[in-house]
Amino acid sequence: MAGFVPRAFPCLLLLSVFDTSADGRGDVVELRDADFEYAAAEQETMLVKFYAPWCGHCKKLAPDFETAAKRLKGIVTLAKVDCTANTEICGRYGVSGYPTLKIFKNGEESSAYDGPRSADGIVDHMKKHAGPDSVPLTTEKDLQAFINHSDASVVGVFESSDSPQLVEFLKGASLMRDSFRFAHTTDLQLGHKYDLKSEGVLLFRPPRLASKFEESVVSHQGPFSITALRRFIRDHIYGICPHLTRENKQQLRKRDLLTAYYDLDYLHNPKRSNYWRNRVMKVASQYSSRGLLFSVANRKDFAEELEGDYGLGSVEGSELPFVTIRTRAGHKYTMREEFTRDGKSLERFLEDHFAERLKRYIKSEPVPIKNNGPVKVVVADTFEELVNDPEKDVLIEFYAPWCGHCKKLEPKYTKLGEELSSDPNIVIAKMDATANDVPQGYDVQGFPTIYLVPAGRKDEPKRYEVMFMTSLETLPLIMIESEKQ
């Protein structure tokens, strides 16, 4: 019978689902509507990627996801669901964009995955989910092994396993384990070496980032509430100048961030890596109270971003760092003066930044030579002129060239432009959001994203859901509605 699932024999079904070695499909398990429920229930921890075959972001993630699955084999299961063929399960879990990653524990959805999407990042993030919220330590050897890590470590020191402070610490570890590494001990002697005489929390910065400009260990002795613990970690976890990676970039970029990019390699050349970092830290220590976070990064890891987002060309050649600033609002600046070893050029760059004398860098495609079609092509350099024209209602689609939904919408959108082309006060427009910086005020998380920008109210763009674009007849209603407001 078509679609029949042998529900009375789940073990036989699971055997076929998880045995991927025989046909060479790799280590990511392919799940379907029929077998998802059984498969998820059998896994203590499982990371599921909900995807669409045509999605560019999904294709980009696929090799890293496969590599992570291989490295996590036996620890955490990585699975994938094609939402174009398995609409029931994707609908059940509210999947509305691709790729969507979710963590499941013993068959139940635990949380959305909001960690990094590189192979190393997925492995590190999911290992945290597979182990205990906080690792118990009993000896000095245990402690040293735990803190000798590439990430910072948070260690609670308590009098006994019955300590009420330990209970609070473990609650905090459970809530924050996605972002930080936690361990605890009930041997107060382990804290004495770090001048901790009673119960408290020690934050150990990564050994490779040890510097004369800051303490490698910071202590906290109360209060022990979850809020206080979170604040203590937030205020001290990164120090003056953390190492920006592809895994932690989203966390660090929640603040205005200056980054020096160079041939940083803590594995093979830690001394040279800290040579430039120390010069950044020397300057950073003078400006640390000005609301700007400082960081260093391997410029080869961010080569594509440096060229695409900042126009900073090849990573080959000079050993001198490239320096950028990215604000929380998305404004970007680059230091054009050569980085000097005495730090003076960096100081001048910072003074210009705080005095608001720097010119923003905006990524833009070339301005079209001809732009006479029914749908006007907008690039970042023409956004102000075309979209923010105070006399015109503008409907703008932010799209990606590889997006299947965008391609499906294109003929309808073009037809709308043709129907409204006779009205001089209406503009139908589109912008490639992968090749141009999207202006502040427009939330573009998926494609296509469509906004109406009314005449006279350019600071109030209104987002329209793509679901309203289901038929040609409904499209003109969007512009008509703008006239009623």
Side-chain angles (χ1 to χ4, degrees), residues 170-308:
L170 293 177
K171 288 180 181 177
S174 177
L175 291 173
M176 293 181 278
R177 63 174 293 168
D178 287 1
S179 303
F180 311 112
R181 305 176 66 248
F182 291 91
H184 63 277
T185 180
T186 54
D187 183 355
L188 289 178
Q189 292 293 324
L190 296 185
H192 290 175
K193 179 180 178 180
Y194 306 98
D195 298 324
L196 196 63
K197 304 303 182 183
S198 59
E199 290 190 327
V201 178
L202 298 170
L203 188 152
F204 296 85
R205 297 193 175 110
R208 73 182 190 285
L209 300 183
S211 169
K212 65 180 181 180
F213 293 102
E214 64 182 354
E215 298 294 333
S216 296
V217 185
V218 185
S219 63
H220 170 73
Q221 291 185 274
F224 284 81
S225 67
I226 295 173
T227 300
L229 180 61
R230 191 190 300 275
R231 185 180 298 114
F232 166 68
I233 296 173
R234 180 199 64 197
D235 292 346
H236 298 94
I237 192 76
Y238 293 120
I240 296 176
C241 185
H243 175 194
L244 175 73
T245 66
R246 286 176 291 189
E247 286 70 46
N248 67 16
K249 67 178 183 179
Q250 298 302 329
Q251 188 70 23
L252 290 177
R253 286 174 177 170
K254 290 180 179 179
R255 296 173 56 183
D256 293 354
L257 180 69
L258 178 145
T259 306
Y261 300 87
Y262 56 94
D263 293 333
L264 179 151
D265 186 346
Y266 279 110
L267 181 61
H268 299 104
N269 197 348
K271 184 176 180 180
R272 190 63 177 171
S273 296
N274 277 329
Y275 174 85
W276 290 113
R277 179 173 178 266
N278 284 336
R279 276 146 184 76
V280 174
M281 291 187 73
K282 182 178 180 181
V283 176
S285 62
Q286 305 172 40
Y287 294 87
S288 58
S289 62
R290 303 286 293 273
L292 183 66
L293 181 64
F294 294 77
S295 67
V296 293
N298 183 337
R299 63 183 175 186
K300 290 184 179 179
D301 288 345
F302 291 89
E304 183 177 341
E305 181 177 296
L306 283 169
E307 184 170 359

Side-chain angles (χ1 to χ4, degrees), residues 38-190:
Y38 293 126
E42 286 294 312
Q43 301 303 304
E44 180 180 345
T45 304
M46 183 168 72
L47 175 63
V48 180
K49 175 183 69 173
F50 297 92
Y51 74 101
W54 49 258
C55 167
H57 290 309
C58 302
K59 293 176 182 178
K60 185 176 181 181
L61 174 61
D64 282 296
F65 202 71
E66 185 66 47
T67 299
K70 185 174 183 179
R71 290 169 55 186
L72 287 168
K73 199 168 186 177
I75 304 173
V76 174
T77 296
L78 268 61
K80 61 183 179 180
V81 176
D82 178 355
C83 288
T84 65
N86 300 278
T87 56
E88 179 186 343
I89 201 68
C90 294
R92 183 189 306 175
Y93 291 105
V95 177
S96 59
Y98 309 116
T100 293
L101 277 65
K102 292 179 179 288
I103 298 170
F104 289 79
K105 298 270 192 179
N106 300 310
E108 299 293 330
E109 181 182 352
S110 173
S111 65
Y113 175 91
D114 59 358
R117 298 198 173 188
S118 65
D120 289 343
I122 293 171
V123 170
D124 290 344
H125 194 87
M126 292 311 299
K127 279 184 176 179
K128 295 175 184 177
H129 279 272
D133 296 334
S134 177
V135 178
L137 308 175
T138 57
T139 67
E140 177 68 22
K141 183 178 180 180
D142 292 340
L143 175 60
Q144 294 304 318
F146 184 77
I147 66 177
N148 187 24
H149 194 274
S150 58
D151 293 328
S153 306
V154 182
V155 180
V157 181
F158 304 98
E159 294 180 349
S160 70
S161 58
D162 297 326
S163 169
Q165 310 289 18
L166 174 57
V167 173
E168 286 299 306
F169 180 83
L170 293 177
K171 288 180 181 177
S174 177
L175 291 173
M176 293 181 278
R177 63 174 293 168
D178 287 1
S179 303
F180 311 112
R181 305 176 66 248
F182 291 91
H184 63 277
T185 180
T186 54
D187 183 355
L188 289 178
Q189 292 293 324
L190 296 185

